[in-house]
Amino acid sequence: MSETRRIVQRGLWFEEFETDVRYEHRPGRTITEADNVLFTTLTMNTQALHLDAAFADALPPFHRRLVNSMFTLSTLVGLSVAQLTQGTIVANLGFSDIAFPKPLFHGDTLYAETLVTDKRESKSRPGEGIVTFAHTGRNQHGDVVATAVRKTLVRCRPS
């Protein structure tokens, strides 16, 4: 009897990343009221626009509660993990150019895509490289709701 071949899900090694490649991360994530309230309260963000329906309903231009933008950012990055960095990342080095051009609301679905914009071997950490990602989040209508640039330290493929 032959041994069954095994495949373990992981992110990409440094050598596997190519610049100007766009990864579409699926499935998306439908954001619920419970998600938003839990994240908002766990992070001690008392902004009424996230928690108080009567307050938010009365305010233009949206007239409803907004999903916490930090939850949107966290979920945007999280949606990329299984495909890009699961088990291969060493650390996040930093975020820049974060923007939220449109809000997310309860019941919206967030879809993520990532463009690899740069990569180089680390000068100070042999066996590791720096990969720059441009993350984009879209709602179910295709509207861009979040963007962020993230630099990561990624392991090279083991010898």
Side-chain angles (χ1 to χ4, degrees), residues 90-111:
V90 176
N92 283 317
L93 300 177
F95 288 83
S96 64
D97 302 317
I98 297 168
F100 304 100
K102 292 192 175 194
L104 273 180
F105 301 103
H106 301 154
D108 282 349
T109 300
L110 179 62
Y111 293 97

Side-chain angles (χ1 to χ4, degrees), residues 2-159:
S2 67
E3 189 172 319
T4 304
R5 192 168 83 118
R6 293 173 44 148
I7 298 173
V8 177
Q9 183 174 326
R10 63 160 173 85
L12 302 178
W13 301 113
F14 174 75
E15 294 84 356
E16 294 175 298
F17 284 105
E18 298 176 42
T19 57
D20 299 322
V21 171
R22 184 176 310 275
Y23 296 88
E24 295 181 356
H25 312 299
R26 298 296 183 268
R29 174 70 157 77
T30 301
I31 310 302
T32 68
E33 177 182 12
D35 295 327
N36 190 42
V37 170
L38 179 61
F39 184 90
T40 298
T41 55
L42 282 173
T43 58
M44 301 296 290
N45 180 340
T46 59
Q47 176 53 253
L49 285 171
H50 305 311
L51 296 173
D52 185 330
F55 175 84
D57 291 352
L59 289 180
F62 304 114
H63 297 284
R64 56 186 163 157
R65 283 174 290 167
L66 307 177
V67 171
N68 185 319
S69 58
M70 294 296 97
F71 180 72
T72 302
L73 177 63
S74 295
T75 306
L76 172 60
V77 171
L79 286 167
S80 75
V81 169
Q83 191 172 17
L84 299 180
T85 60
Q86 180 69 49
T88 58
I89 193 171
V90 176
N92 283 317
L93 300 177
F95 288 83
S96 64
D97 302 317
I98 297 168
F100 304 100
K102 292 192 175 194
L104 273 180
F105 301 103
H106 301 154
D108 282 349
T109 300
L110 179 62
Y111 293 97
E113 60 188 53
T114 302
L115 178 67
V116 177
T117 60
D118 191 42
K119 71 177 252 188
R120 68 171 178 83
E121 290 186 24
S122 174
K123 295 177 179 121
S124 61
R125 296 180 63 103
E128 297 171 359
I130 297 170
V131 181
T132 304
F133 300 123
H135 297 292
T136 301
R138 298 178 192 276
N139 66 16
Q140 67 275 14
H141 306 294
D143 301 323
V144 174
V145 296
T147 59
V149 173
R150 175 170 70 127
K151 285 190 182 279
T152 60
L153 190 61
V154 177
R155 291 181 178 87
C156 294
R157 183 189 305 275
S159 309

